[in-house]
Amino acid sequence: MTEPDLPRVDVLRLAAFSARPDGGNPAGVVLDASALSAADMQRIAAEVDFAETAFVTGTAADGAVTIRYFSPIAEVPFCGHATIATAVALADLGRTGGSGTVDEIVFATPVGVVPIAVTRDDTGTRASFTSIDPSVADLPPRDLEALLDALGLSADDLDPDLPPRLSHAGNPHPVLVVADRTTFDGFGFDPVSVRALMDDRGWPATVTVLHRLGAHRFAARNLFPVGRITEDPATGSAAASVGAYLRELEAVPVPGRIEIEQGAHVGRPGILTVDIPAVGGIRVSGHAVPMD
């Protein structure tokens, strides 16, 4: 029995958290998914084969844009880079309704309402989203042990000032901070084993591994084994979780701003800007540009 043909849809392809099409994290964006079923969206995301594809499914009664996110293998509760890409795509097409220097959009996501601001500068179009109220919890010892084993690391490799945690600002992200830059750059992992661990623990997004570069700057590697992908080039939901993690540990002054360098390990460098208020959601911003 053959599968029915997919409805004809236009899929935009944008690179998020970069002003260059060969940097940042590629995202698929479908701006009219109102006629698509969940199975249709999953099949399209698998064909696009980016870390995530975002689907605009309609407009809520309060005017919020309803949106869903799919990786090549499953629906994801929230995706930061695809949120940035979708907001920029809507703004560039004049579909945000803004009339001033800042376009305000609200996305109704599976994890809650996410407000977005879109601005333009000399580099291009930039968007920022504010996460849901985050939560940070201890990472259970058995989970930490399993993660370290999967990455070939030991507890001695971790930064003693930044202990492991499980941080949630849309998706749950285990956060590890490696003290030594050479160790951070050099660790490897088996994607199949890490995927099995993530599925077993109910971690739908990424495992976040950081190295502190300075008081307000971090390097990140986000492990995300899905299909041909092993590491995510730029992860907005993880960046929000990092902001919540640092605030919880009182590791940075708040309100404050940090920058996260990500993607160099997979050949797509990008920058994520994270604004950390004293309370409430974390704001993550970056450019997005068409890849075609």
Side-chain angles (χ1 to χ4, degrees):
M1 182 175 176
T2 60
E3 291 185 338
D5 291 336
L6 282 170
R8 289 183 59 85
V9 295
D10 292 325
V11 181
L12 306 179
R13 291 165 171 81
L14 291 89
F17 298 113
S18 174
R20 295 175 43 171
D22 59 349
N25 200 352
V29 176
V30 176
L31 294 179
D32 183 6
S34 57
L36 300 180
S37 67
D40 292 334
M41 292 183 234
Q42 185 62 75
R43 289 169 58 195
I44 291 168
E47 290 184 2
V48 173
D49 201 25
F50 289 162
E52 276 93 7
T53 296
F55 296 85
V56 175
T57 57
T59 305
D62 61 1
V65 174
T66 56
I67 188 169
R68 297 173 71 176
Y69 310 92
F70 286 78
S71 83
I73 62 172
E75 186 168 8
V76 176
F78 179 71
C79 175
H81 84 276
T83 293
I84 295 291
T86 304
V88 168
L90 288 169
D92 284 349
L93 290 171
R95 291 173 56 178
T96 56
S99 58
T101 58
V102 179
D103 293 353
E104 302 285 352
I105 320 171
V106 175
F107 282 180
T109 79
V111 300
V113 171
V114 175
I116 301 156
V118 182
T119 59
R120 295 164 184 82
D121 57 27
D122 292 341
T123 308
T125 309
R126 184 179 182 89
S128 67
F129 70 82
T130 300
S131 77
I132 61 171
D133 282 351
S135 61
V136 180
D138 288 343
L139 186 63
R142 63 187 288 268
D143 292 351
L144 174 59
E145 181 180 355
L147 271 177
L148 291 174
D149 183 63
L151 305 184
L153 299 174
S154 74
D156 291 339
D157 292 317
L158 302 181
D159 189 327
D161 295 326
L162 296 168
R165 291 289 187 268
L166 185 66
S167 186
H168 192 308
N171 294 311
H173 293 270
V175 180
L176 307 180
V177 185
V178 174
D180 177 69
R181 181 63 193 252
T182 300
T183 303
F184 169 78
D185 288 332
F187 78 81
F189 62 96
D190 174 49
V192 174
S193 298
V194 171
R195 178 78 263 163
L197 175 62
M198 294 170 69
D199 289 345
D200 181 67
R201 299 305 198 266
W203 300 332
T206 68
V207 172
T208 302
V209 185
L210 303 172
H211 171 70
R212 190 163 202 164
L213 300 172
H216 303 284
R217 200 168 184 89
F218 290 79
R221 296 177 64 180
N222 274 272
L223 317 185
F224 189 53
V226 288
R228 62 179 177 80
I229 301 165
T230 56
E231 293 189 36
D232 210 21
T235 316
S237 67
S241 292
V242 168
Y245 161 84
L246 295 172
R247 182 173 68 188
E248 179 72 14
L249 293 180
E250 299 182 347
V252 295
V254 295
R257 170 177 288 184
I258 65 165
E259 288 190 332
I260 298 174
E261 300 177 4
Q262 189 183 331
H265 295 82
V266 291
R268 297 192 66 93
I271 296 289
L272 301 91
T273 302
V274 183
D275 288 292
I276 308 170
V279 296
I282 308 297
R283 192 174 73 198
V284 179
S285 60
H287 290 89
V289 293
M291 297 177 64
D292 298 328

